[in-house]
Amino acid sequence: MTDKSRKTPKADSKSPAKPGTQTPAAAKPAAAKSATAKKTAGKPKAAPKAAPEAGAAASPDLALLRERIDGIDRHIQELIGERAQFANQVGKAKGKLAAAVDYYRPEREAQVLRRVVDRNDGPLNDEVLVRLFREIMSACLAQQEPLKIGFLGPEGTHSQQAVYKHFGHSIHGLPLASIEEVFQEVEAGSADFGVVPVENSTQGTIQSTLDMFLTSKLKISGEVELRVHQHLLSRSGRIEDIERVYSHPQSFAQCKAWLREYLPKAEKIAVSSNAEAARRARNADDAAAIAGASAGSVYGLRTVAGPIEDRPDNTTRFLVIGRELFTPSGNDRTSLLIFIKDQPGALYNVLSPFAKRGLSMNRIESRPGHTGRWQYAFFVDIGGHVQEPAMREALEELEELAHEVKVLGSYPVAIA
């Protein structure tokens, strides 16, 4: 029942931050460089060094290096422009289509990004390169019309970060009040796709998302894995002022040990999202919010401490929901909703068709089936795509064993 295709996030070696501390890893090298620059500023120029001995490596010429970089930048820009032109031609080759969603192919994007990872020999890491190429593809697609993406709002939520990670920034984001509303807007066609949280690595499944699939006709077309850092944010930036803390229940659970140590007497008030928590906290000096750093920027809050999540590998998985199934990408996952018959060994029976064909089960979750008292449905993730022969055969056998089988989606496994 292991998911060999899903990458496990590398654990951050840093512990949750104490109040008044921030631990942005990327800030340290910049600070060091700044300090070095200050030390050297204003000093008289050193005397010219003697010519290097024969065989010694000469220092690179700074002006020449910058000239080479400028040339590379021009070439990159020309190639991006050329790529955009070809993207336009692809659109024309598809004929006259109704909207941007008709041009979007998640399986094609997944294949492109996997090749980016396969080609990468550094020095930039996979995540950085995938983000760069995602933005290029996003901008090229938006030439026709930006995709409309619904997510759990308001502005500044982790769901919004997941949207940008999966679709890039050249989209039209629709912040919505609830997960149910995200489903409704996609079903109605007001949004092309939606992004909803489905599980957290430390706190488990988001039940409200699974319950929507019991009645929704929408399909899963992608997944996003987002490393989640929680910060304590307030208007004053002083922990001694804080008497109450707002946050989403999941975030409270992810930070409960830190809160128990540093804010044991503060009132904890659950709200619909972390961005909503930040919006409320901006109105009083004695209030604070647990949210992402981006929410602090949106709502003008200062960081009291962060990251404060109890586990450094805290990761949330999001699902991309749409109105159709897409073709295989080559490394896919299929999500099923299975209503079992009430009989001995029922669960074993419905899983055996996949085991016999070497299909790995990645996750299983039971929920009340809403079909009768004590009737349950099982959400199951299986490695593979419904169009692949082994999966087709397993599903055909499963139809005889289960009361009902619903294919929720076959979609590319999350990349970087």
Side-chain angles (χ1 to χ4, degrees):
M1 294 174 58
T2 58
D3 181 1
K4 296 182 181 178
S5 61
R6 186 185 301 177
K7 291 185 179 179
T8 302
K10 294 182 180 178
D12 192 339
S13 60
K14 297 178 182 176
S15 301
K18 296 180 180 179
T21 65
Q22 299 181 54
T23 58
K28 293 184 179 180
K33 290 178 183 177
S34 177
T36 303
K38 288 180 180 178
K39 289 179 182 178
T40 58
K43 289 187 176 181
K45 293 182 179 179
K49 294 182 179 179
E53 297 178 6
S59 298
D61 183 279
L62 184 59
L64 180 60
L65 291 175
R66 287 174 174 168
E67 184 180 344
R68 291 291 300 276
I69 289 173
D70 290 343
I72 292 171
D73 288 345
R74 286 192 297 272
H75 189 47
I76 290 173
Q77 187 173 347
E78 290 170 0
L79 290 175
I80 291 175
E82 185 177 354
R83 190 191 193 283
Q85 290 175 353
F86 276 108
N88 264 330
Q89 292 181 31
V90 168
K92 292 176 181 178
K94 291 182 178 179
K96 188 172 179 60
L97 300 177
V101 67
D102 298 313
Y103 296 92
Y104 179 69
R105 308 304 303 181
E107 74 280 17
R108 164 66 179 162
E109 284 201 357
Q111 291 165 353
V112 170
L113 294 176
R114 287 191 201 118
R115 287 197 288 267
V116 168
V117 172
D118 291 342
R119 289 193 300 261
N120 185 25
D121 293 323
L124 300 179
N125 63 36
D126 292 346
E127 185 176 356
V128 170
L129 281 178
V130 165
R131 185 167 67 245
L132 288 171
F133 273 81
R134 181 79 78 180
E135 292 296 342
I136 291 171
M137 290 189 289
S138 177
C140 289
L141 181 64
Q143 292 178 102
Q144 310 297 329
E145 177 190 358
L147 289 170
K148 298 184 289 292
I149 312 297
F151 64 91
L152 179 62
E155 296 283 333
T157 60
H158 290 119
S159 292
Q160 185 181 37
Q161 293 179 39
V163 167
Y164 289 146
K165 181 176 182 180
H166 188 79
F167 289 98
H169 284 69
S170 298
I171 52 96
H172 177 57
L174 304 173
L176 301 168
S178 66
I179 289 173
E180 181 180 8
E181 193 171 342
V182 175
F183 274 80
Q184 291 171 347
E185 292 300 294
V186 178
E187 285 177 343
S190 301
D192 297 320
F193 295 95
V195 173
V196 292
V198 67
E199 62 177 324
N200 178 264
S201 60
T202 60
Q203 295 303 313
T205 303
I206 288 83
Q207 305 293 355
S208 55
T209 296
L210 290 188
D211 287 344
M212 289 302 302
F213 284 111
L214 291 169
T215 56
S216 175
K217 296 180 180 179
L218 294 181
K219 300 297 182 183
I220 304 169
S221 58
E223 65 176 6
V224 191
E225 292 184 358
L226 185 72
R227 284 282 287 106
V228 173
H229 291 301
Q230 305 285 9
H231 293 74
L232 185 69
L233 311 169
S234 78
R235 193 164 77 174
S236 71
R238 296 190 300 268
I239 195 169
E240 57 269 22
D241 296 339
I242 299 171
E243 296 180 6
R244 63 186 184 277
V245 181
Y246 297 99
S247 195
H248 188 278
Q250 281 269 339
S251 296
F252 276 134
Q254 292 167 23
C255 305
K256 59 185 177 183
W258 192 95
L259 290 169
R260 187 166 55 244
E261 180 175 357
Y262 295 106
L263 287 171
K265 297 181 180 179
E267 181 184 7
K268 283 79 173 176
I269 304 172
V271 292
S272 60
S273 71
N274 289 346
E276 172 62 17
R279 190 184 68 79
R280 294 194 186 193
R282 68 180 175 179
N283 296 321
D285 284 339
D286 63 351
I290 295 175
S294 60
S297 301
V298 171
Y299 297 99
L301 298 176
R302 298 180 180 179
T303 300
V304 180
I308 64 169
E309 63 272 9
D310 297 333
R311 290 183 57 90
D313 60 348
N314 188 33
T315 301
T316 297
R317 179 180 174 228
F318 296 81
L319 296 178
V320 181
I321 53 175
R323 294 183 289 274
E324 64 176 296
L325 284 171
F326 292 92
T327 55
S329 72
N331 183 17
D332 301 289
R333 195 186 324 279
T334 294
S335 293
L336 304 172
L337 178 57
I338 304 173
F339 296 87
I340 62 174
K341 296 177 180 178
D342 186 12
Q343 60 186 30
L347 181 58
Y348 171 82
N349 289 337
V350 299
L351 296 179
S352 60
F354 303 104
K356 287 190 298 185
R357 293 167 176 82
L359 298 172
S360 175
M361 183 178 68
N362 311 133
R363 185 175 70 98
I364 184 169
E365 182 87 16
S366 66
R367 293 292 295 155
H370 298 180
T371 55
R373 189 170 56 181
W374 314 122
Q375 296 297 311
Y376 286 86
F378 288 87
F379 292 86
V380 183
D381 287 346
I382 305 287
H385 194 280
V386 290
Q387 293 183 12
E388 295 169 350
M391 184 72 74
R392 281 204 310 268
E393 292 172 6
L395 289 174
E396 288 172 2
E397 183 177 341
L398 182 60
E399 292 285 353
E400 304 296 323
L401 302 170
H403 179 70
E404 181 185 350
V405 180
K406 184 179 179 181
V407 177
L408 299 180
S410 282
Y411 48 92
V413 171
I415 302 169

